[in-house]
Amino acid sequence: MRFIDEFRRSDLAQKLIARIKQKALSPARFMEFCGGHTVAIFKFGIRQLLPPTIDMLSGPGCPVCVTDNSDLDKAIALAQLPDVIAATFGDMLKVPGSHSSLQKAKAEGADVRIVYSTMDALQIARENPSQSVVFIGIGFETTAPTIAASVLQAGQEKLDNYYVLSLHKLTPPVIKALLDSGEVKLDGIVCPGHVSTIIGSSPWEFVARDYGIACAVSGFEPIDILLSIEMLVSQVEDKAPKVDIAYRRSVRPDGNRRALELMDTVFEPCPARWRGMGLLPDSGLRFRKEFERFDAELAFDIDPGPTYEPKGCICGHILRGVKTPMDCELFAKLCTPEHPVGPCMVSSEGSCSAYYLYGAAYEP
Amino acid sequence: MCLAIPALIKSINGKEAEAEIGGIGRRVSLWLTPEAKVGDYVLIHTGYAINVLDQEEALETLRLLEELSEVY
Amino acid sequence: MSHRILLAHGSGGKLAHDLVEKGFLPAFRNPLLAKLDDSAVFEFKGLLAFTTDSYVVNPIFFPGGDIGKLAVCGTVNDLAMVGAMPLYLSLSFIIEEGLLQSDLEKVVDSARKAADEAGVEIVTGDTKVVDRGSADKLFINTAGIGMIAEGVDISGWNAKPGDKVLLSGTIGDHGIAVLSQREGLAFSTELESDCAPLNRLVAEMLDASRQIHCLRDPTRGGLATSLNELARQSKVGIRIDEDQVPVREEVFAACEMLGFDPLYVANEGKLVAIAAAADAEQLLEVMQRNHYGRDAAVIGEVREEHPGRVVLKTKLGASRIVDMLVGDLLPRIC
């Protein structure tokens, strides 16, 4: 498959690994911000191929894992409303909220439908005019513009039964919060390639400039990831932090102007609650005034009830890179893919599930 | 964090296009990439083309890697 | 006959008799069924294999097959996977009120074709009709009986370190073909389900080698789940090479799009064989000569290390654990 096979070539990977081994003299700790990178690193076995001096840490880059229980409970409450069809990406189905999950609500009779795209959610709205379709809007800057586009399209088609619950999150604010917390010492960050396809590479400049941390924007194939690690190692050894673009075929400094306009037309930044990090200013997206009629939170009155966090679950710390799944007393004992306690075990992008399935899972 | 895959634009109809992704076909939206043309490779995320892939940069990256000597 | 199935079709009365005498009996035409007694009666000598399964695929018609063909092939294959020659099947229909008669006829017809190809007979069955909404169009439950020849001992417990692991063809075809029809995920593909009866392929393999230790058809949960089952049953380690596992381009593309790993996607016409290394080459040749084994490959080997675990050598030469499928495959965006 074009643009995939060429970037999985083993010969090129071996060359990059050899160069990394030669260059990486001092120990270095790199965070791969994005869940997609965490899965790719485990799936291709990249962790084993790197020299032991390099430590890879997974970050808060999974929009499902960082969704706070209070927001999850809203999504579940909306799905439980009579004649509401909840349309959602598959990732959200199994995540446990305080009392239930979309999967449990579905089993109890709620109309919950999995879609690959908001284009399919719009189609469900067209085919069910007597019911309200609520799309559970999760995702970072890669996904938010596509959901904004669906809202604009619904407006054009006068689809008055299409709503969105906006749980979208912005990535630079959470990286800043993570670095300001000083909880974890990082030498470099593998920056998210598809978020940067939209926002460009320039929003990461502050990380190198203000915090002296190496940055490389990476794609999701093994060659992309190894190339970005090679760039980070060079920056660390040369003591010259900057923002390198390893994913040149897709990322430019200024990103996708059109997508950013669409996002900005429909949504505006607002404070958002992140699991494990609390309320971060200007880190979420809410509907602008002119598009309030699409806001599911305003259109329906729901009472999701008090929020509970599972005892002993340290997903919050894991998301901040302060702890790894191995530090969690529930990991692979009470918390397994069959009976997930925290979101990092539920989402296949979550580091706990990646640790359990691909890497260091051990007999409970 | 955001799964996106390269697809070839086969035909365009207003804001939508028929794309081919390694032997399977899917209707995709061009809301985010009005500049996309037939024959372009685009990155598809949740059914939307989020940018037009730069084929020269891809070849350039691969060429640089091929010339990379293992010992520098 | 009315063009929709009614509750009355399941009530044992005239309509029910018509359904059997005008629908099922002419389709399956064999002396045992023709007696229409409450049980089929036949003589039997030797080692007996007995299996059962239920089929609830949605949608009931998909590229390359339908629920009728699937029910017969699935049951035939379960018998073949213990080295049995399938003989007799039962077929029980649970029909949702309102199913189109023409749809039922199509399903019965493709079940018959599959039975003819496999050389088995449908000797008994049952029909029930349930209220609209309490079943998804049509469910089929089956049972199957087969005969195991002298000296054949195929079981998940028999794998030995040093054995080779053979796979009869490309993985994920069925799962992706069915998924392409699912609402909300639609994509177009030439891909068809690989649904097929494998009993003749197994018979040819058994003729070629007496050292086949395990056979397994990797249906729901995919190749990874079947290999894990075998590794745990035989308490051995299994190591497979990602480069050797055949995957069609359409399946690879759909999995990249939806965020699946082909190792976990369902198959309905594939088998995994674990056999003594000495016979591996010859077995591979025999398999490749059969239509259903044309893409067969040796994909790995059995080892003493990491008993109960399956390890994959990735394209980059590193190795990682491959676990069973947990939950079900859900398309993901990240």
Side-chain angles (χ1 to χ4, degrees), chain C residues 75-133:
Chain C
T75 313
V76 159
N77 291 347
D78 282 345
L79 291 168
M81 290 313 128
V82 288
M85 192 177 79
L87 295 173
Y88 302 125
L89 260 54
S90 77
L91 219 54
S92 296
F93 297 87
I94 298 170
I95 308 173
E96 181 187 19
E97 180 190 15
L99 177 73
L100 282 172
Q101 187 91 29
S102 52
D103 281 353
L104 182 61
E105 275 154 23
K106 277 193 220 123
V107 165
V108 165
D109 184 54
S110 53
R112 182 186 54 74
K113 284 198 184 84
D116 290 349
E117 182 186 353
V120 295
E121 289 179 332
I122 317 284
V123 294
T124 186
D126 175 58
T127 304
K128 290 289 182 300
V129 182
V130 295
D131 297 322
R132 173 180 285 277

Short mmCIF file of all heavy atoms in Angstrom, two decimals, chain C residues 75-133:
data_model
loop_
_atom_site.label_atom_id
_atom_site.label_comp_id
_atom_site.label_asym_id
_atom_site.label_seq_id
_atom_site.Cartn_x
_atom_site.Cartn_y
_atom_site.Cartn_z
N THR C 75 -19.85 -26.10 10.57
CA THR C 75 -20.03 -27.38 11.28
C THR C 75 -19.15 -28.46 10.67
O THR C 75 -18.48 -29.21 11.39
CB THR C 75 -21.52 -27.78 11.23
OG1 THR C 75 -22.30 -26.64 11.57
CG2 THR C 75 -21.82 -28.91 12.19
N VAL C 76 -19.11 -28.49 9.34
CA VAL C 76 -18.24 -29.46 8.65
C VAL C 76 -16.79 -29.24 9.09
O VAL C 76 -16.06 -30.18 9.41
CB VAL C 76 -18.38 -29.28 7.11
CG1 VAL C 76 -17.19 -29.85 6.37
CG2 VAL C 76 -19.69 -29.90 6.63
N ASN C 77 -16.38 -27.96 9.15
CA ASN C 77 -14.97 -27.67 9.50
C ASN C 77 -14.66 -28.07 10.94
O ASN C 77 -13.57 -28.58 11.23
CB ASN C 77 -14.67 -26.19 9.26
CG ASN C 77 -14.68 -25.87 7.77
OD1 ASN C 77 -14.68 -26.78 6.92
ND2 ASN C 77 -14.73 -24.59 7.44
N ASP C 78 -15.61 -27.86 11.85
CA ASP C 78 -15.35 -28.25 13.25
C ASP C 78 -15.08 -29.75 13.34
O ASP C 78 -14.22 -30.20 14.09
CB ASP C 78 -16.55 -27.87 14.14
CG ASP C 78 -16.53 -26.37 14.45
OD1 ASP C 78 -15.47 -25.74 14.22
OD2 ASP C 78 -17.56 -25.82 14.87
N LEU C 79 -15.82 -30.54 12.55
CA LEU C 79 -15.59 -31.99 12.55
C LEU C 79 -14.23 -32.30 11.90
O LEU C 79 -13.44 -33.08 12.44
CB LEU C 79 -16.72 -32.69 11.78
CG LEU C 79 -18.10 -32.66 12.45
CD1 LEU C 79 -19.18 -33.12 11.48
CD2 LEU C 79 -18.12 -33.51 13.73
N ALA C 80 -13.93 -31.62 10.79
CA ALA C 80 -12.67 -31.89 10.08
C ALA C 80 -11.46 -31.56 10.98
O ALA C 80 -10.41 -32.18 10.87
CB ALA C 80 -12.61 -31.07 8.80
N MET C 81 -11.65 -30.60 11.90
CA MET C 81 -10.51 -30.18 12.72
C MET C 81 -10.11 -31.22 13.78
O MET C 81 -9.10 -31.07 14.46
CB MET C 81 -10.80 -28.84 13.41
CG MET C 81 -10.85 -27.67 12.43
SD MET C 81 -9.48 -27.60 11.28
CE MET C 81 -10.35 -27.47 9.72
N VAL C 82 -10.87 -32.29 13.92
CA VAL C 82 -10.42 -33.40 14.78
C VAL C 82 -10.14 -34.61 13.88
O VAL C 82 -10.09 -35.74 14.34
CB VAL C 82 -11.46 -33.76 15.87
CG1 VAL C 82 -11.51 -32.69 16.93
CG2 VAL C 82 -12.84 -34.03 15.28
N GLY C 83 -9.99 -34.33 12.58
CA GLY C 83 -9.63 -35.39 11.65
C GLY C 83 -10.82 -36.28 11.29
O GLY C 83 -10.65 -37.36 10.73
N ALA C 84 -12.05 -35.83 11.61
CA ALA C 84 -13.22 -36.66 11.31
C ALA C 84 -13.71 -36.41 9.89
O ALA C 84 -13.57 -35.30 9.37
CB ALA C 84 -14.36 -36.34 12.28
N MET C 85 -14.30 -37.47 9.29
CA MET C 85 -14.97 -37.29 8.01
C MET C 85 -16.43 -36.96 8.33
O MET C 85 -17.15 -37.79 8.91
CB MET C 85 -14.89 -38.58 7.18
CG MET C 85 -15.30 -38.39 5.73
SD MET C 85 -15.09 -39.93 4.81
CE MET C 85 -16.59 -40.78 5.37
N PRO C 86 -16.90 -35.76 8.00
CA PRO C 86 -18.27 -35.38 8.36
C PRO C 86 -19.29 -36.24 7.60
O PRO C 86 -19.11 -36.53 6.42
CB PRO C 86 -18.36 -33.92 7.91
CG PRO C 86 -16.98 -33.48 7.52
CD PRO C 86 -16.20 -34.72 7.24
N LEU C 87 -20.36 -36.67 8.32
CA LEU C 87 -21.39 -37.51 7.69
C LEU C 87 -22.77 -36.84 7.73
O LEU C 87 -23.39 -36.59 6.72
CB LEU C 87 -21.46 -38.86 8.41
CG LEU C 87 -20.21 -39.72 8.30
CD1 LEU C 87 -20.33 -40.96 9.19
CD2 LEU C 87 -20.01 -40.15 6.84
N TYR C 88 -23.27 -36.58 8.96
CA TYR C 88 -24.64 -36.11 9.10
C TYR C 88 -24.69 -34.80 9.88
O TYR C 88 -23.97 -34.61 10.86
CB TYR C 88 -25.48 -37.16 9.84
CG TYR C 88 -25.49 -38.51 9.17
CD1 TYR C 88 -25.10 -39.66 9.86
CD2 TYR C 88 -25.86 -38.64 7.82
CE1 TYR C 88 -25.10 -40.90 9.24
CE2 TYR C 88 -25.86 -39.88 7.19
CZ TYR C 88 -25.47 -41.01 7.90
OH TYR C 88 -25.47 -42.23 7.28
N LEU C 89 -25.59 -33.88 9.45
CA LEU C 89 -25.75 -32.59 10.13
C LEU C 89 -27.23 -32.40 10.51
O LEU C 89 -28.12 -32.92 9.82
CB LEU C 89 -25.37 -31.45 9.17
CG LEU C 89 -23.98 -30.82 9.28
CD1 LEU C 89 -22.89 -31.86 9.21
CD2 LEU C 89 -23.79 -29.73 8.22
N SER C 90 -27.43 -31.64 11.58
CA SER C 90 -28.80 -31.15 11.85
C SER C 90 -28.79 -29.65 11.59
O SER C 90 -27.74 -28.99 11.68
CB SER C 90 -29.15 -31.39 13.32
OG SER C 90 -28.49 -30.40 14.10
N LEU C 91 -29.95 -29.13 11.22
CA LEU C 91 -30.04 -27.70 10.90
C LEU C 91 -31.32 -27.17 11.53
O LEU C 91 -32.42 -27.58 11.16
CB LEU C 91 -30.12 -27.55 9.37
CG LEU C 91 -29.39 -26.41 8.69
CD1 LEU C 91 -27.92 -26.41 9.09
CD2 LEU C 91 -29.50 -26.53 7.17
N SER C 92 -31.20 -26.29 12.54
CA SER C 92 -32.41 -25.76 13.18
C SER C 92 -32.50 -24.27 12.94
O SER C 92 -31.53 -23.55 13.18
CB SER C 92 -32.36 -26.04 14.68
OG SER C 92 -32.37 -27.43 14.86
N PHE C 93 -33.66 -23.83 12.45
CA PHE C 93 -33.85 -22.42 12.12
C PHE C 93 -34.68 -21.74 13.20
O PHE C 93 -35.71 -22.27 13.61
CB PHE C 93 -34.60 -22.30 10.78
CG PHE C 93 -33.85 -22.87 9.61
CD1 PHE C 93 -33.97 -24.21 9.28
CD2 PHE C 93 -33.01 -22.06 8.85
CE1 PHE C 93 -33.26 -24.74 8.21
CE2 PHE C 93 -32.31 -22.59 7.79
CZ PHE C 93 -32.43 -23.93 7.45
N ILE C 94 -34.22 -20.57 13.65
CA ILE C 94 -35.05 -19.71 14.52
C ILE C 94 -35.29 -18.45 13.71
O ILE C 94 -34.35 -17.71 13.40
CB ILE C 94 -34.34 -19.41 15.85
CG1 ILE C 94 -34.11 -20.72 16.61
CG2 ILE C 94 -35.12 -18.41 16.68
CD1 ILE C 94 -33.21 -20.60 17.81
N ILE C 95 -36.54 -18.29 13.27
CA ILE C 95 -36.85 -17.27 12.28
C ILE C 95 -37.64 -16.13 12.92
O ILE C 95 -38.60 -16.38 13.66
CB ILE C 95 -37.69 -17.88 11.12
CG1 ILE C 95 -36.98 -19.15 10.56
CG2 ILE C 95 -37.94 -16.86 10.03
CD1 ILE C 95 -37.82 -19.91 9.55
N GLU C 96 -37.26 -14.90 12.61
CA GLU C 96 -38.02 -13.75 13.10
C GLU C 96 -39.26 -13.57 12.23
O GLU C 96 -39.17 -13.64 10.99
CB GLU C 96 -37.15 -12.48 13.05
CG GLU C 96 -37.88 -11.23 13.57
CD GLU C 96 -37.08 -9.93 13.37
OE1 GLU C 96 -36.14 -9.94 12.51
OE2 GLU C 96 -37.39 -8.94 14.03
N GLU C 97 -40.39 -13.40 12.88
CA GLU C 97 -41.65 -13.15 12.17
C GLU C 97 -41.44 -12.04 11.13
O GLU C 97 -40.82 -11.01 11.43
CB GLU C 97 -42.68 -12.69 13.21
CG GLU C 97 -44.05 -12.38 12.70
CD GLU C 97 -44.90 -11.71 13.77
OE1 GLU C 97 -44.33 -11.25 14.78
OE2 GLU C 97 -46.12 -11.65 13.61
N GLY C 98 -41.82 -12.32 9.86
CA GLY C 98 -41.70 -11.28 8.84
C GLY C 98 -40.53 -11.47 7.90
O GLY C 98 -40.40 -10.76 6.91
N LEU C 99 -39.69 -12.49 8.18
CA LEU C 99 -38.58 -12.74 7.25
C LEU C 99 -39.17 -13.08 5.88
O LEU C 99 -40.15 -13.82 5.76
CB LEU C 99 -37.73 -13.92 7.74
CG LEU C 99 -36.57 -14.33 6.81
CD1 LEU C 99 -35.44 -13.30 6.88
CD2 LEU C 99 -36.05 -15.72 7.17
N LEU C 100 -38.57 -12.53 4.82
CA LEU C 100 -39.06 -12.83 3.46
C LEU C 100 -38.87 -14.31 3.16
O LEU C 100 -37.80 -14.88 3.41
CB LEU C 100 -38.30 -11.99 2.44
CG LEU C 100 -38.73 -10.52 2.32
CD1 LEU C 100 -37.76 -9.76 1.42
CD2 LEU C 100 -40.17 -10.43 1.79
N GLN C 101 -39.90 -14.93 2.62
CA GLN C 101 -39.83 -16.34 2.22
C GLN C 101 -38.69 -16.54 1.23
O GLN C 101 -37.91 -17.49 1.35
CB GLN C 101 -41.16 -16.70 1.55
CG GLN C 101 -41.33 -18.16 1.23
CD GLN C 101 -41.99 -18.92 2.36
OE1 GLN C 101 -42.78 -18.34 3.11
NE2 GLN C 101 -41.63 -20.17 2.53
N SER C 102 -38.52 -15.57 0.32
CA SER C 102 -37.47 -15.70 -0.71
C SER C 102 -36.09 -15.70 -0.05
O SER C 102 -35.18 -16.41 -0.47
CB SER C 102 -37.58 -14.55 -1.70
OG SER C 102 -37.59 -13.33 -0.96
N ASP C 103 -35.96 -14.94 1.03
CA ASP C 103 -34.66 -14.95 1.72
C ASP C 103 -34.39 -16.33 2.33
O ASP C 103 -33.28 -16.86 2.23
CB ASP C 103 -34.64 -13.88 2.84
CG ASP C 103 -34.40 -12.48 2.26
OD1 ASP C 103 -34.11 -12.40 1.04
OD2 ASP C 103 -34.51 -11.49 3.02
N LEU C 104 -35.44 -16.90 2.96
CA LEU C 104 -35.27 -18.23 3.57
C LEU C 104 -34.89 -19.25 2.49
O LEU C 104 -33.99 -20.07 2.68
CB LEU C 104 -36.55 -18.66 4.29
CG LEU C 104 -36.47 -20.02 5.00
CD1 LEU C 104 -35.38 -19.99 6.10
CD2 LEU C 104 -37.81 -20.38 5.63
N GLU C 105 -35.53 -19.11 1.32
CA GLU C 105 -35.25 -20.07 0.25
C GLU C 105 -33.79 -19.95 -0.21
O GLU C 105 -33.09 -20.94 -0.42
CB GLU C 105 -36.19 -19.84 -0.94
CG GLU C 105 -37.53 -20.55 -0.78
CD GLU C 105 -38.63 -19.83 -1.57
OE1 GLU C 105 -38.28 -19.11 -2.54
OE2 GLU C 105 -39.81 -19.97 -1.19
N LYS C 106 -33.31 -18.70 -0.29
CA LYS C 106 -31.90 -18.50 -0.71
C LYS C 106 -30.97 -19.16 0.31
O LYS C 106 -30.00 -19.85 -0.05
CB LYS C 106 -31.60 -17.00 -0.78
CG LYS C 106 -32.02 -16.33 -2.08
CD LYS C 106 -31.38 -14.91 -2.18
CE LYS C 106 -32.40 -13.92 -2.77
NZ LYS C 106 -32.67 -12.76 -1.90
N VAL C 107 -31.28 -18.98 1.60
CA VAL C 107 -30.42 -19.51 2.66
C VAL C 107 -30.42 -21.05 2.60
O VAL C 107 -29.37 -21.70 2.67
CB VAL C 107 -30.91 -19.02 4.04
CG1 VAL C 107 -30.28 -19.82 5.17
CG2 VAL C 107 -30.60 -17.53 4.20
N VAL C 108 -31.62 -21.62 2.42
CA VAL C 108 -31.74 -23.09 2.38
C VAL C 108 -30.98 -23.62 1.15
O VAL C 108 -30.23 -24.60 1.22
CB VAL C 108 -33.23 -23.49 2.32
CG1 VAL C 108 -33.39 -24.95 1.91
CG2 VAL C 108 -33.89 -23.23 3.66
N ASP C 109 -31.11 -22.90 0.05
CA ASP C 109 -30.43 -23.35 -1.18
C ASP C 109 -28.91 -23.33 -1.02
O ASP C 109 -28.22 -24.28 -1.39
CB ASP C 109 -30.84 -22.42 -2.35
CG ASP C 109 -30.25 -22.93 -3.66
OD1 ASP C 109 -30.47 -24.11 -3.98
OD2 ASP C 109 -29.50 -22.16 -4.29
N SER C 110 -28.38 -22.27 -0.39
CA SER C 110 -26.91 -22.23 -0.27
C SER C 110 -26.43 -23.23 0.78
O SER C 110 -25.31 -23.76 0.67
CB SER C 110 -26.44 -20.81 0.06
OG SER C 110 -27.11 -20.33 1.18
N ALA C 111 -27.30 -23.55 1.76
CA ALA C 111 -26.92 -24.59 2.74
C ALA C 111 -26.82 -25.93 2.01
O ALA C 111 -25.87 -26.71 2.22
CB ALA C 111 -27.96 -24.68 3.86
N ARG C 112 -27.77 -26.15 1.13
CA ARG C 112 -27.76 -27.43 0.37
C ARG C 112 -26.50 -27.53 -0.49
O ARG C 112 -25.79 -28.53 -0.50
CB ARG C 112 -29.00 -27.52 -0.52
CG ARG C 112 -29.07 -28.85 -1.29
CD ARG C 112 -30.21 -28.90 -2.29
NE ARG C 112 -30.19 -27.76 -3.21
CZ ARG C 112 -29.29 -27.65 -4.22
NH1 ARG C 112 -28.37 -28.59 -4.37
NH2 ARG C 112 -29.32 -26.63 -5.02
N LYS C 113 -26.18 -26.40 -1.21
CA LYS C 113 -24.99 -26.43 -2.09
C LYS C 113 -23.74 -26.76 -1.28
O LYS C 113 -22.90 -27.57 -1.67
CB LYS C 113 -24.84 -25.09 -2.79
CG LYS C 113 -25.83 -24.85 -3.94
CD LYS C 113 -25.33 -23.70 -4.85
CE LYS C 113 -26.34 -23.37 -5.94
NZ LYS C 113 -27.39 -22.41 -5.43
N ALA C 114 -23.64 -26.14 -0.11
CA ALA C 114 -22.44 -26.36 0.72
C ALA C 114 -22.41 -27.82 1.19
O ALA C 114 -21.35 -28.47 1.18
CB ALA C 114 -22.46 -25.42 1.93
N ALA C 115 -23.58 -28.36 1.54
CA ALA C 115 -23.64 -29.77 2.00
C ALA C 115 -23.25 -30.70 0.86
O ALA C 115 -22.48 -31.64 1.06
CB ALA C 115 -25.06 -30.09 2.49
N ASP C 116 -23.74 -30.38 -0.34
CA ASP C 116 -23.37 -31.23 -1.49
C ASP C 116 -21.86 -31.19 -1.70
O ASP C 116 -21.23 -32.23 -1.88
CB ASP C 116 -24.09 -30.74 -2.76
CG ASP C 116 -25.59 -31.02 -2.70
OD1 ASP C 116 -25.98 -31.78 -1.77
OD2 ASP C 116 -26.34 -30.48 -3.53
N GLU C 117 -21.27 -29.99 -1.66
CA GLU C 117 -19.82 -29.88 -1.90
C GLU C 117 -19.04 -30.65 -0.84
O GLU C 117 -18.06 -31.33 -1.12
CB GLU C 117 -19.37 -28.40 -1.90
CG GLU C 117 -17.86 -28.30 -2.20
CD GLU C 117 -17.28 -26.89 -2.08
OE1 GLU C 117 -18.07 -25.93 -1.90
OE2 GLU C 117 -16.05 -26.76 -2.16
N ALA C 118 -19.53 -30.58 0.40
CA ALA C 118 -18.80 -31.26 1.49
C ALA C 118 -19.12 -32.76 1.51
O ALA C 118 -18.41 -33.54 2.16
CB ALA C 118 -19.19 -30.64 2.83
N GLY C 119 -20.19 -33.16 0.81
CA GLY C 119 -20.57 -34.57 0.79
C GLY C 119 -21.21 -35.01 2.10
O GLY C 119 -21.01 -36.11 2.59
N VAL C 120 -21.98 -34.10 2.72
CA VAL C 120 -22.69 -34.47 3.96
C VAL C 120 -24.19 -34.36 3.72
O VAL C 120 -24.64 -33.73 2.76
CB VAL C 120 -22.32 -33.53 5.14
CG1 VAL C 120 -20.86 -33.67 5.51
CG2 VAL C 120 -22.69 -32.09 4.84
N GLU C 121 -24.98 -34.99 4.65
CA GLU C 121 -26.44 -34.93 4.51
C GLU C 121 -27.06 -34.26 5.72
O GLU C 121 -26.61 -34.46 6.86
CB GLU C 121 -27.00 -36.36 4.36
CG GLU C 121 -26.65 -36.97 3.00
CD GLU C 121 -27.18 -38.38 2.85
OE1 GLU C 121 -27.33 -39.06 3.87
OE2 GLU C 121 -27.43 -38.79 1.69
N ILE C 122 -28.12 -33.45 5.45
CA ILE C 122 -28.88 -32.83 6.55
C ILE C 122 -29.99 -33.81 6.90
O ILE C 122 -30.93 -33.97 6.13
CB ILE C 122 -29.50 -31.49 6.09
CG1 ILE C 122 -28.53 -30.65 5.26
CG2 ILE C 122 -30.09 -30.73 7.26
CD1 ILE C 122 -27.46 -29.95 6.01
N VAL C 123 -29.85 -34.48 8.04
CA VAL C 123 -30.76 -35.60 8.31
C VAL C 123 -31.84 -35.27 9.33
O VAL C 123 -32.78 -36.02 9.53
CB VAL C 123 -29.96 -36.84 8.79
CG1 VAL C 123 -29.07 -37.35 7.65
CG2 VAL C 123 -29.16 -36.53 10.03
N THR C 124 -31.72 -34.16 10.00
CA THR C 124 -32.77 -33.78 10.95
C THR C 124 -32.70 -32.28 11.17
O THR C 124 -31.72 -31.64 10.83
CB THR C 124 -32.60 -34.56 12.27
OG1 THR C 124 -33.72 -34.27 13.10
CG2 THR C 124 -31.32 -34.20 12.98
N GLY C 125 -33.79 -31.72 11.70
CA GLY C 125 -33.79 -30.26 11.89
C GLY C 125 -35.03 -29.80 12.63
O GLY C 125 -35.81 -30.63 13.10
N ASP C 126 -35.19 -28.51 12.73
CA ASP C 126 -36.35 -27.97 13.45
C ASP C 126 -36.55 -26.53 13.01
O ASP C 126 -35.59 -25.88 12.55
CB ASP C 126 -36.07 -28.02 14.97
CG ASP C 126 -37.20 -27.36 15.74
OD1 ASP C 126 -38.36 -27.82 15.60
OD2 ASP C 126 -36.93 -26.34 16.42
N THR C 127 -37.75 -26.05 13.14
CA THR C 127 -38.02 -24.64 12.80
C THR C 127 -38.86 -24.00 13.89
O THR C 127 -39.84 -24.59 14.32
CB THR C 127 -38.81 -24.56 11.48
OG1 THR C 127 -38.06 -25.24 10.48
CG2 THR C 127 -39.03 -23.13 11.05
N LYS C 128 -38.46 -22.85 14.32
CA LYS C 128 -39.29 -22.09 15.26
C LYS C 128 -39.38 -20.67 14.70
O LYS C 128 -38.42 -20.17 14.12
CB LYS C 128 -38.63 -22.05 16.65
CG LYS C 128 -38.64 -23.40 17.37
CD LYS C 128 -40.03 -23.79 17.82
CE LYS C 128 -40.06 -25.11 18.59
NZ LYS C 128 -39.57 -26.27 17.83
N VAL C 129 -40.57 -20.03 14.89
CA VAL C 129 -40.74 -18.63 14.48
C VAL C 129 -41.00 -17.80 15.73
O VAL C 129 -41.79 -18.21 16.60
CB VAL C 129 -41.92 -18.49 13.49
CG1 VAL C 129 -42.05 -17.03 13.05
CG2 VAL C 129 -41.68 -19.37 12.27
N VAL C 130 -40.31 -16.68 15.86
CA VAL C 130 -40.45 -15.86 17.08
C VAL C 130 -40.98 -14.48 16.70
O VAL C 130 -40.89 -14.07 15.55
CB VAL C 130 -39.09 -15.72 17.81
CG1 VAL C 130 -38.63 -17.07 18.33
CG2 VAL C 130 -38.04 -15.11 16.89
N ASP C 131 -41.53 -13.80 17.73
CA ASP C 131 -42.13 -12.48 17.45
C ASP C 131 -41.12 -11.54 16.82
O ASP C 131 -39.92 -11.61 17.13
CB ASP C 131 -42.60 -11.82 18.77
CG ASP C 131 -43.71 -12.66 19.43
OD1 ASP C 131 -44.53 -13.18 18.66
OD2 ASP C 131 -43.69 -12.82 20.65
N ARG C 132 -41.63 -10.64 16.00
CA ARG C 132 -40.78 -9.63 15.36
C ARG C 132 -39.99 -8.90 16.44
O ARG C 132 -40.54 -8.54 17.49
CB ARG C 132 -41.66 -8.64 14.60
CG ARG C 132 -40.94 -7.45 14.01
CD ARG C 132 -41.90 -6.52 13.26
NE ARG C 132 -42.27 -7.10 11.97
CZ ARG C 132 -41.50 -6.99 10.87
NH1 ARG C 132 -40.35 -6.36 10.95
NH2 ARG C 132 -41.86 -7.52 9.72
N GLY C 133 -38.70 -8.72 16.22
CA GLY C 133 -37.89 -7.94 17.16
C GLY C 133 -37.17 -8.82 18.17
O GLY C 133 -36.24 -8.38 18.83
#
